[in-house]
PDB file of all heavy atoms in Angstrom:
ATOM      1  N   ASN V 322      44.721  50.152  30.940  1.00 89.00           N
ATOM      2  CA  ASN V 322      46.025  50.109  30.297  1.00 89.00           C
ATOM      3  C   ASN V 322      46.728  48.828  30.702  1.00 89.00           C
ATOM      4  O   ASN V 322      46.307  48.146  31.636  1.00 89.00           O
ATOM      5  CB  ASN V 322      46.894  51.297  30.742  1.00 89.00           C
ATOM      6  CG  ASN V 322      46.312  52.627  30.324  1.00 89.00           C
ATOM      7  OD1 ASN V 322      45.907  52.804  29.197  1.00 89.00           O
ATOM      8  ND2 ASN V 322      46.267  53.565  31.253  1.00 89.00           N
ATOM      9  N   THR V 323      47.814  48.542  30.030  1.00 94.00           N
ATOM     10  CA  THR V 323      48.689  47.448  30.408  1.00 94.00           C
ATOM     11  C   THR V 323      50.092  48.013  30.505  1.00 94.00           C
ATOM     12  O   THR V 323      50.532  48.735  29.622  1.00 94.00           O
ATOM     13  CB  THR V 323      48.626  46.307  29.380  1.00 94.00           C
ATOM     14  OG1 THR V 323      47.294  45.796  29.334  1.00 94.00           O
ATOM     15  CG2 THR V 323      49.578  45.184  29.754  1.00 94.00           C
ATOM     16  N   THR V 324      50.770  47.694  31.596  1.00 96.00           N
ATOM     17  CA  THR V 324      52.155  48.115  31.775  1.00 96.00           C
ATOM     18  C   THR V 324      53.048  46.889  31.632  1.00 96.00           C
ATOM     19  O   THR V 324      52.846  45.884  32.321  1.00 96.00           O
ATOM     20  CB  THR V 324      52.357  48.761  33.154  1.00 96.00           C
ATOM     21  OG1 THR V 324      51.511  49.912  33.249  1.00 96.00           O
ATOM     22  CG2 THR V 324      53.801  49.184  33.350  1.00 96.00           C
ATOM     23  N   PHE V 325      54.005  46.978  30.727  1.00 97.00           N
ATOM     24  CA  PHE V 325      54.982  45.923  30.537  1.00 97.00           C
ATOM     25  C   PHE V 325      56.273  46.330  31.233  1.00 97.00           C
ATOM     26  O   PHE V 325      56.727  47.469  31.094  1.00 97.00           O
ATOM     27  CB  PHE V 325      55.270  45.695  29.048  1.00 97.00           C
ATOM     28  CG  PHE V 325      54.150  45.035  28.309  1.00 97.00           C
ATOM     29  CD1 PHE V 325      53.195  45.795  27.657  1.00 97.00           C
ATOM     30  CD2 PHE V 325      54.047  43.656  28.261  1.00 97.00           C
ATOM     31  CE1 PHE V 325      52.161  45.186  26.971  1.00 97.00           C
ATOM     32  CE2 PHE V 325      53.015  43.041  27.576  1.00 97.00           C
ATOM     33  CZ  PHE V 325      52.065  43.812  26.933  1.00 97.00           C
ATOM     34  N   ILE V 326      56.849  45.393  31.975  1.00 98.00           N
ATOM     35  CA  ILE V 326      58.152  45.586  32.599  1.00 98.00           C
ATOM     36  C   ILE V 326      59.112  44.657  31.878  1.00 98.00           C
ATOM     37  O   ILE V 326      58.907  43.435  31.864  1.00 98.00           O
ATOM     38  CB  ILE V 326      58.112  45.267  34.100  1.00 98.00           C
ATOM     39  CG1 ILE V 326      57.053  46.116  34.794  1.00 98.00           C
ATOM     40  CG2 ILE V 326      59.487  45.468  34.726  1.00 98.00           C
ATOM     41  CD1 ILE V 326      56.817  45.727  36.240  1.00 98.00           C
ATOM     42  N   VAL V 327      60.143  45.239  31.256  1.00 98.00           N
ATOM     43  CA  VAL V 327      61.070  44.469  30.429  1.00 98.00           C
ATOM     44  C   VAL V 327      62.494  44.793  30.853  1.00 98.00           C
ATOM     45  O   VAL V 327      62.876  45.958  30.896  1.00 98.00           O
ATOM     46  CB  VAL V 327      60.900  44.814  28.930  1.00 98.00           C
ATOM     47  CG1 VAL V 327      61.806  43.957  28.074  1.00 98.00           C
ATOM     48  CG2 VAL V 327      59.448  44.681  28.494  1.00 98.00           C
ATOM     49  N   GLY V 328      63.263  43.772  31.158  1.00 96.00           N
ATOM     50  CA  GLY V 328      64.687  43.937  31.413  1.00 96.00           C
ATOM     51  C   GLY V 328      65.461  43.394  30.231  1.00 96.00           C
ATOM     52  O   GLY V 328      65.292  42.221  29.872  1.00 96.00           O
ATOM     53  N   VAL V 329      66.273  44.240  29.595  1.00 96.00           N
ATOM     54  CA  VAL V 329      67.033  43.802  28.408  1.00 96.00           C
ATOM     55  C   VAL V 329      68.450  44.354  28.451  1.00 96.00           C
ATOM     56  O   VAL V 329      68.736  45.358  29.105  1.00 96.00           O
ATOM     57  CB  VAL V 329      66.367  44.251  27.084  1.00 96.00           C
ATOM     58  CG1 VAL V 329      65.037  43.566  26.878  1.00 96.00           C
ATOM     59  CG2 VAL V 329      66.224  45.740  27.006  1.00 96.00           C
ATOM     60  N   GLU V 330      69.317  43.695  27.714  1.00 96.00           N
ATOM     61  CA  GLU V 330      70.677  44.193  27.540  1.00 96.00           C
ATOM     62  C   GLU V 330      70.624  45.469  26.707  1.00 96.00           C
ATOM     63  O   GLU V 330      69.694  45.674  25.926  1.00 96.00           O
ATOM     64  CB  GLU V 330      71.545  43.133  26.851  1.00 96.00           C
ATOM     65  CG  GLU V 330      71.751  41.877  27.667  1.00 96.00           C
ATOM     66  CD  GLU V 330      72.454  42.133  28.996  1.00 96.00           C
ATOM     67  OE1 GLU V 330      73.302  43.057  29.073  1.00 96.00           O
ATOM     68  OE2 GLU V 330      72.147  41.414  29.962  1.00 96.00           O
ATOM     69  N   ASP V 331      71.621  46.306  26.868  1.00 97.00           N
ATOM     70  CA  ASP V 331      71.655  47.606  26.192  1.00 97.00           C
ATOM     71  C   ASP V 331      71.484  47.494  24.679  1.00 97.00           C
ATOM     72  O   ASP V 331      70.825  48.328  24.059  1.00 97.00           O
ATOM     73  CB  ASP V 331      72.967  48.334  26.497  1.00 97.00           C
ATOM     74  CG  ASP V 331      73.049  48.798  27.940  1.00 97.00           C
ATOM     75  OD1 ASP V 331      72.047  48.686  28.673  1.00 97.00           O
ATOM     76  OD2 ASP V 331      74.127  49.270  28.333  1.00 97.00           O
ATOM     77  N   ASP V 332      72.058  46.451  24.090  1.00 97.00           N
ATOM     78  CA  ASP V 332      72.005  46.329  22.626  1.00 97.00           C
ATOM     79  C   ASP V 332      70.637  45.897  22.096  1.00 97.00           C
ATOM     80  O   ASP V 332      70.423  45.890  20.889  1.00 97.00           O
ATOM     81  CB  ASP V 332      73.091  45.378  22.116  1.00 97.00           C
ATOM     82  CG  ASP V 332      72.961  43.963  22.665  1.00 97.00           C
ATOM     83  OD1 ASP V 332      72.221  43.748  23.646  1.00 97.00           O
ATOM     84  OD2 ASP V 332      73.614  43.061  22.097  1.00 97.00           O
ATOM     85  N   ARG V 333      69.678  45.589  22.978  1.00 97.00           N
ATOM     86  CA  ARG V 333      68.333  45.200  22.530  1.00 97.00           C
ATOM     87  C   ARG V 333      67.281  46.266  22.804  1.00 97.00           C
ATOM     88  O   ARG V 333      66.105  46.089  22.475  1.00 97.00           O
ATOM     89  CB  ARG V 333      67.907  43.886  23.185  1.00 97.00           C
ATOM     90  CG  ARG V 333      68.786  42.711  22.740  1.00 97.00           C
ATOM     91  CD  ARG V 333      68.172  41.387  23.006  1.00 97.00           C
ATOM     92  NE  ARG V 333      67.109  41.112  22.059  1.00 97.00           N
ATOM     93  CZ  ARG V 333      66.255  40.101  22.197  1.00 97.00           C
ATOM     94  NH1 ARG V 333      66.339  39.284  23.214  1.00 97.00           N
ATOM     95  NH2 ARG V 333      65.302  39.908  21.303  1.00 97.00           N
ATOM     96  N   VAL V 334      67.686  47.381  23.404  1.00 98.00           N
ATOM     97  CA  VAL V 334      66.725  48.433  23.754  1.00 98.00           C
ATOM     98  C   VAL V 334      66.007  48.952  22.520  1.00 98.00           C
ATOM     99  O   VAL V 334      64.776  49.076  22.504  1.00 98.00           O
ATOM    100  CB  VAL V 334      67.420  49.586  24.521  1.00 98.00           C
ATOM    101  CG1 VAL V 334      66.484  50.781  24.671  1.00 98.00           C
ATOM    102  CG2 VAL V 334      67.883  49.111  25.887  1.00 98.00           C
ATOM    103  N   GLU V 335      66.738  49.265  21.458  1.00 98.00           N
ATOM    104  CA  GLU V 335      66.109  49.790  20.236  1.00 98.00           C
ATOM    105  C   GLU V 335      65.142  48.785  19.620  1.00 98.00           C
ATOM    106  O   GLU V 335      64.097  49.170  19.093  1.00 98.00           O
ATOM    107  CB  GLU V 335      67.169  50.216  19.217  1.00 98.00           C
ATOM    108  CG  GLU V 335      67.921  51.458  19.625  1.00 98.00           C
ATOM    109  CD  GLU V 335      67.014  52.652  19.904  1.00 98.00           C
ATOM    110  OE1 GLU V 335      66.063  52.888  19.129  1.00 98.00           O
ATOM    111  OE2 GLU V 335      67.255  53.350  20.903  1.00 98.00           O
ATOM    112  N   GLU V 336      65.463  47.514  19.691  1.00 98.00           N
ATOM    113  CA  GLU V 336      64.565  46.466  19.188  1.00 98.00           C
ATOM    114  C   GLU V 336      63.239  46.478  19.951  1.00 98.00           C
ATOM    115  O   GLU V 336      62.154  46.416  19.351  1.00 98.00           O
ATOM    116  CB  GLU V 336      65.246  45.101  19.327  1.00 98.00           C
ATOM    117  CG  GLU V 336      64.393  43.929  18.921  1.00 98.00           C
ATOM    118  CD  GLU V 336      65.041  42.590  19.220  1.00 98.00           C
ATOM    119  OE1 GLU V 336      66.185  42.552  19.715  1.00 98.00           O
ATOM    120  OE2 GLU V 336      64.379  41.574  18.959  1.00 98.00           O
TER     121      GLU V 336
END
Side-chain angles (χ1 to χ4, degrees):
N322 297 313
T323 298
T324 299
F325 288 93
I326 303 172
V327 183
V329 294
E330 295 299 328
D331 290 353
D332 61 345
R333 295 198 75 191
V334 170
E335 289 304 317
E336 176 187 358

